Amino acid sequence: TSITSAKIQVNGVHLHYQQTGEGSHAVLLLPGMLGSGQTDFGPQLKFMNKQLFTIVSWDPRGYGKSIPPSRDFPPDFFERDAKDAVDLMQALKFKKFSLMGWSDGGITALIAAAKYPNLIHKLVVWGANASVTQEDVRIYNGIRDVSKWSEKVRKPLEEMYGHNYFAKTCEAWVDGISRFAENPNGNICQQFLPDINCPTFIIHGEKDPLVPQAHAEYIHKHIKDSRLLLMPEGKHNLHLRFAEEFNRQVEDFLC
């Protein structure tokens, strides 16, 4: 039940991943903005059922230990991450697998489930959105300056990246994701949602300060037969704050 770390070459970059468990059901954890397996999924890597699941968490290119390259945000960065994620799992010889995506990782997971339907078994997303509104842009600009973040959130990221890379990449992310607001309806991945046909579980914290609840409701409405769970006390990081309940809900769904 130990957690192994390694790198593997995928699409011209060396992607870092962590793996644990020996279950027959493979699950990929997809982190949020600036995230990595290490910073974003401690309680899942440690405590999810290792007899039932083989759990892989990855660092998308330019994040965590998947540097180089430096992170950038071209218009298709979510689709690029989706391809990298799926190709990583195939390089690791998993024929079919489930996705658990948080925040940006949730958006990536939605796109991957739509574009690679034969590979995805089940899908769990939380803190994700399929579009960017002007209200969202206002929220993102509120986190642009990392020196204003709480020390608890800032410190592990500063330790991982160094202050300059962390600050610069956060600003680049705000600019990159805000550009979606210029699309019709602020579209990120709305067109993909009707193509998702695997069982889908959407979780949302009712006190999420970064992603308004309307986003979770929109995703739920546009993915056929999806399930929506609202956690009254949950914020954006509900899988860390309420890890035990979150893991239990997710394991019940994946089984």
Side-chain angles (χ1 to χ4, degrees):
T1 58
S2 63
I3 300 170
T4 59
S5 294
K7 280 189 162 184
I8 189 166
Q9 187 162 350
V10 177
N11 299 329
V13 295
H14 289 90
L15 294 176
H16 179 262
Y17 68 96
Q18 290 168 289
Q19 185 171 329
T20 187
E22 60 265 296
S24 59
H25 188 155
V27 181
L28 177 65
L29 309 177
L30 298 95
M33 175 264 274
L34 277 160
S36 65
Q38 186 185 329
T39 54
D40 286 14
F41 295 118
Q44 285 67 49
L45 287 164
K46 271 201 202 98
F47 300 121
M48 277 181 71
N49 187 317
K50 301 191 181 190
Q51 278 68 54
L52 293 176
F53 304 108
T54 296
I55 297 146
V56 179
S57 68
W58 80 309
D59 300 359
R61 60 171 74 200
Y63 284 164
K65 293 177 180 165
S66 295
I67 303 172
S70 293
R71 182 69 182 184
D72 62 349
F73 300 94
D76 66 344
F77 73 89
F78 284 117
E79 289 177 60
R80 179 183 68 183
D81 283 350
K83 181 168 170 39
D84 282 349
V86 164
D87 291 350
L88 166 74
M89 291 300 275
Q90 295 210 285
L92 295 176
K93 304 284 188 273
F94 295 109
K95 288 187 175 63
K96 200 162 183 174
F97 45 91
S98 292
L99 301 174
M100 287 173 54
W102 176 39
S103 199
D104 269 20
I107 300 170
T108 301
L110 290 167
I111 293 170
K115 289 183 82 170
Y116 310 98
N118 300 335
L119 301 175
I120 309 305
H121 184 40
K122 293 186 176 184
L123 173 64
V124 182
V125 295
W126 66 104
N129 45 319
S131 65
V132 174
T133 66
Q134 288 306 322
E135 163 70 357
D136 296 324
V137 171
R138 192 187 62 72
I139 293 170
Y140 302 148
N141 277 303
I143 63 164
R144 176 187 287 274
D145 180 356
V146 297
S147 69
K148 294 180 179 156
W149 289 25
S150 76
E151 192 185 354
K152 192 176 166 212
V153 179
R154 192 178 71 232
K155 204 171 167 214
L157 291 166
E158 272 186 345
E159 282 168 7
M160 174 168 280
Y161 293 117
H163 178 77
N164 286 352
Y165 187 92
F166 171 42
K168 194 180 79 196
T169 307
C170 181
E171 288 182 7
W173 176 84
V174 172
D175 293 339
I177 196 147
S178 298
R179 275 199 300 271
F180 289 104
E182 296 158 17
N183 292 345
N185 303 318
N187 179 36
I188 303 175
C189 64
Q190 291 168 324
Q191 73 279 21
F192 292 118
L193 301 182
D195 295 336
I196 296 173
N197 52 31
C198 64
T200 301
F201 187 20
I202 301 140
I203 305 173
H204 194 77
E206 292 189 31
K207 294 185 174 174
D208 189 331
L210 286 175
V211 179
Q213 191 171 311
H215 286 298
E217 289 166 352
Y218 181 95
I219 294 168
H220 173 48
K221 186 179 165 192
H222 289 86
I223 298 177
K224 199 165 149 297
D225 300 328
S226 60
R227 272 172 58 189
L228 174 63
L229 171 69
L230 298 175
M231 293 178 68
E233 294 303 310
K235 293 189 180 176
H236 196 56
N237 65 346
L238 54 87
H239 66 298
L240 303 176
R241 177 81 176 68
F242 300 103
E244 206 171 313
E245 188 194 343
F246 175 87
N247 287 359
R248 184 173 51 76
Q249 292 278 359
V250 164
E251 286 181 0
D252 286 351
F253 170 75
L254 292 174
C255 283

